[in-house]
Amino acid sequence: MRILSKPFLIYLPVLFLLLVIPEFAAAQQKPDAKADTALIKILDMPADTNKVNAYLGYVKTNGKIFKNETLFMRNTLQMVGIAKKKGFNKGLIALYDELFHFYFFSKNDFNKAFDYINYAYNLAKSTGHNRETTHALSHLAQCYLFIGDNAKALAAYSEAAAILKTEKSSYKFRSEAGLTGAIGRLYANNFKQYNKALPFDLKTTQLAINIKDTALIATGYAQAANDYYHLKQYPTAYLYCRKFLAFEGVERSTSYPNVNNTLGLIYRDASDAELTGMGVAPAARLQKVSEAFAEALKYAKIGAYLPNLVESLENTSSLYTRKGDYQKAYETYKEYILLRDSLENAGAKKNILRKQLNSEFTRQADSLKFQQQLTNTQLRAKQVQSYYFVGGLIVLAALSVFIWRNYDNQRKSNILLSEANRHIAEANVQLNQQRAEITTQRDRLTETVATLTSTQQQLIQTEKMASLGELTAGIAHEIQNPLNFVNNFSEVSIEMIAEANEEFEKGDLEEAKAIINDVQQNIEKIHFHGKRADSIVKNMLEHSRASAGKRELTDVNKLADEYLRLAYHGLRAKDKTFNAELETNLADDMPLVPLISQDVGRVLLNLFNNAFYAVQQKQRTAPDGYKPKVSLSTKQEDGQIMISVNDNGHGIPPAIRDKIMQPFFTTKPTGQGTGLGLSLSYDIIVKSHGGKIFLNPEVTDGTEMIVTLPLKKVS
């Protein structure tokens, strides 16, 4: 045989690619007439929400698209881009759900499946899509069950059930029944806590009765029967088995073998008195057990559902042992062990078993081949011994071995080189994939940081506007006072000028001058109160606009006193019945302090609002003798100024004192507090001004919040 020359061998792969790649590309582009026509029409639609919905409908009804990974991923990610651009969150959640199904069920890539269902869950939860959130949580529970994290699976199911309680649509009832049943099965099958599983299974049955779902009612009865059996309440378990078997057509359900197995175990384990109460003679115990297990095994084989088969075979094997038929018990037990291992190890043990079998068959085949070769060699040796050409054959065999060794060494070298090239290629592919993943993660982190920064600024502004809303009534009250003065003094001044003119006409200049002097004093008062109103408006504008971060020397006493009165009048405007004693103890020798006045004003306003809210709540429940009181005090100490806000409200329980500075933590009812006030106050005082804000732990009757600020500017 002529060996191919080396140059020709080099060009063989190129020739192969030229011949194969066009065929492969053509095969990829061959349309599946019906499905691809529909898909092409969808892809030609304008890029809007209708296109996304049409594609989702196509994917749900044409499962074979999952077989073409390139086609599915390209089109699905295109739809993800459209949904993001259009802000179509519901469609985006559904697309992430389809990607989860693709990776989990079609590709067995559980890491990517877990990522996509997490995307769906987080988006659904943040946008308030309760139905989609519960759906995603159910899939997350599947993932956790797959990796054996039963605690997280239970948490996911429980969160979904809690969300469903807020739903009012018909979707709630069926989903709630399914989730309740899933939690019951988790407690029973994974935790083996049947006392915890039972309430969920009974609730599942009741929910199924409410929505008239016969199949779910039967399933609930089956699960409750199993729970009662493991809790050794055999008569009740027997009753639920009978309830299940009373349904027509239950033989076709996967629960039918389970119930018959449970029934057989009840017959086996119940006392004679309990059996008699069930209407079964104790003498017929073994017969009843045999009938129930036989029925379970029969329908487990018909249904071919592996868990049912494993349970039925185990029970049947134990029954044969009890009867003394050890041969059948052994045969059944072997079958049980094989199926149990398959069930427990799923694909992994099957692959190992398959490899072991292949290895064993290969070893046996090699052994037979070796024996055959050995026999042939011995026969040839005997024949050669009868001829005179032994020497020539030996020389020929030696030459053959020499040639074979050279050929074998070259073949092994080529194999090693090919393996090395393959490993290098695989390593390059993995490296490129890792680089792409790192780049994607970096971009995601950058986008997340930008989003968080933007959200933080929005939250700060929202809190500022919320506090401004609290001030509205107080501002109106504070401005009204100077306006009343302006109006009153201006009216009096008009009358006095008329009187002065009359005196001038009479010639009484002294009286006219006296009146003019009084008018001048009135105008000075009008000017003073006008400036007061102007100051209030400017301060509130300062409060509402974004802080420029510029520190100015500020009179802390004046700032604190002004916000105290504004907060009080703001609450009084909303609740006319509310009154409180305001006590101020402001140090006389307080120097001006470098600070951002609108920011520190927001902190003080938040503390005053909290104090007034606390005493208002206590006033509603306290005895008649209770008098609400809020105190403000300032003092200078050790190069710092200290501002104290004290109230005689209910106080803050010790259990939550460490949490009050956390973002979004609030004890107020929903809608009455953002939970950001003290958190933003902490940032302003500690991070921006180098001061401190803390709760005085020594005060137990009410609450005292203390703010300290350095007299010198802290960079």
Side-chain angles (χ1 to χ4, degrees), residues 332-567:
T332 310
Y333 189 74
K334 281 200 302 182
E335 189 177 357
Y336 155 71
I337 289 296
L338 181 63
L339 292 179
R340 186 196 66 182
D341 288 348
S342 299
L343 180 63
E344 290 178 350
N345 296 283
K349 276 209 170 179
K350 284 184 180 179
N351 290 334
I352 294 172
L353 182 60
R354 189 181 297 113
K355 288 179 181 179
Q356 289 174 343
L357 290 173
N358 288 338
S359 175
E360 184 65 19
F361 290 151
T362 302
R363 188 188 65 76
Q364 292 175 1
D366 289 342
S367 177
L368 290 171
K369 187 175 180 182
F370 175 75
Q371 292 294 337
Q372 185 179 4
Q373 289 174 348
L374 181 61
T375 303
N376 292 337
T377 302
Q378 289 172 344
L379 289 173
R380 283 198 301 271
K382 290 180 180 179
Q383 291 173 353
V384 169
Q385 286 175 2
S386 62
Y387 298 97
Y388 297 102
F389 305 106
V390 175
L393 289 175
I394 292 173
V395 172
L396 181 61
L399 288 173
S400 298
V401 169
F402 177 74
I403 294 171
W404 170 254
R405 281 184 178 175
N406 285 338
Y407 170 75
D408 189 52
N409 289 336
Q410 185 175 0
R411 181 178 63 82
K412 289 179 179 178
S413 298
N414 290 337
I415 290 172
L416 290 173
L417 182 60
S418 176
E419 283 293 309
N421 289 333
R422 183 175 63 81
H423 288 310
I424 291 171
E426 289 176 354
N428 286 333
V429 170
Q430 291 177 356
L431 181 60
N432 290 333
Q433 289 176 346
Q434 290 173 355
R435 285 176 178 171
E437 289 177 2
I438 291 170
T439 302
T440 302
Q441 291 175 0
R442 182 199 64 199
D443 294 342
R444 285 178 186 169
L445 286 172
T446 302
E447 182 180 351
T448 302
V449 169
T451 303
L452 287 173
T453 302
S454 173
T455 303
Q456 183 185 29
Q457 295 302 319
Q458 292 173 8
L459 286 173
I460 291 171
Q461 189 63 19
T462 300
E463 174 64 20
K464 287 165 59 179
M465 297 312 294
S467 64
L468 184 61
E470 293 286 335
L471 280 176
T472 302
I475 295 168
H477 180 273
E478 285 297 298
I479 291 179
Q480 190 61 47
N481 286 335
L483 286 180
N484 288 338
F485 278 109
V486 169
N487 290 334
N488 293 337
F489 282 117
S490 60
E491 289 176 3
V492 171
S493 297
I494 291 170
E495 294 174 359
M496 292 177 71
I497 289 172
E499 291 177 6
N501 287 332
E502 291 177 1
E503 296 299 327
F504 276 124
E505 290 177 359
K506 292 178 182 179
D508 190 348
L509 297 180
E510 290 299 325
E511 183 64 25
K513 286 182 179 179
I515 293 172
I516 292 297
N517 288 334
D518 291 340
V519 170
Q520 183 178 358
Q521 291 177 6
N522 288 349
I523 291 173
E524 288 175 354
K525 292 176 181 178
I526 290 171
H527 178 74
F528 171 78
H529 289 291
K531 286 287 188 179
R532 169 68 180 147
D534 179 62
S535 173
I536 293 170
V537 171
K538 284 182 178 179
N539 285 341
M540 292 312 102
L541 290 175
E542 289 273 334
H543 182 84
S544 63
R545 68 168 60 98
S547 171
K550 184 178 179 182
R551 287 178 172 79
E552 296 177 348
L553 292 175
T554 304
D555 186 340
V556 173
N557 285 347
K558 181 180 177 183
L559 182 71
D561 184 61
E562 183 173 283
Y563 276 101
L564 173 64
R565 286 182 289 102
L566 285 174

Side-chain angles (χ1 to χ4, degrees), residues 268-327:
R268 186 192 71 185
D269 298 339
S271 66
D272 289 349
E274 288 172 325
L275 273 183
T276 303
M278 299 173 199
V280 178
R285 180 193 297 272
L286 197 56
Q287 178 186 349
K288 287 289 187 180
V289 173
S290 300
E291 290 172 355
F293 285 167
E295 185 78 356
L297 184 57
K298 173 185 174 183
Y299 281 92
K301 288 181 177 179
I302 292 173
Y305 181 48
L306 197 56
N308 287 346
L309 273 170
V310 170
E311 182 184 14
S312 299
L313 286 167
E314 182 182 19
N315 290 334
T316 304
S317 175
S318 66
L319 177 63
Y320 282 135
T321 302
R322 188 169 183 174
K323 286 182 175 181
D325 192 343
Y326 299 110
Q327 180 62 33

Side-chain angles (χ1 to χ4, degrees), residues 54-96:
Y55 179 74
L56 286 167
Y58 171 83
V59 170
K60 291 182 185 303
T61 55
N62 293 273
K64 55 188 171 183
I65 191 174
F66 291 113
K67 296 179 182 178
N68 189 333
E69 180 177 2
T70 304
L71 179 68
F72 173 76
M73 291 302 298
R74 182 182 68 235
N75 293 328
T76 304
L77 293 178
Q78 179 187 351
M79 298 302 160
V80 167
I82 294 171
K84 284 184 176 179
K85 187 175 181 181
K86 297 296 181 181
F88 185 28
N89 290 327
K90 194 169 184 179
L92 188 56
I93 294 165
L95 288 166
Y96 285 149

Side-chain angles (χ1 to χ4, degrees), residues 617-660:
Q617 295 301 308
K618 185 172 181 178
Q619 186 182 41
R620 293 174 178 173
T621 57
D624 293 338
Y626 172 72
K627 293 182 180 180
K629 180 179 178 181
V630 174
S631 303
L632 165 67
S633 65
T634 62
K635 65 177 180 179
Q636 179 182 348
E637 188 177 272
D638 297 332
Q640 294 183 327
I641 62 104
M642 181 180 295
I643 307 169
S644 171
V645 178
N646 192 296
D647 67 73
N648 63 345
H650 286 298
I652 300 175
I656 64 171
R657 289 188 175 187
D658 292 338
K659 301 179 182 179
I660 61 173

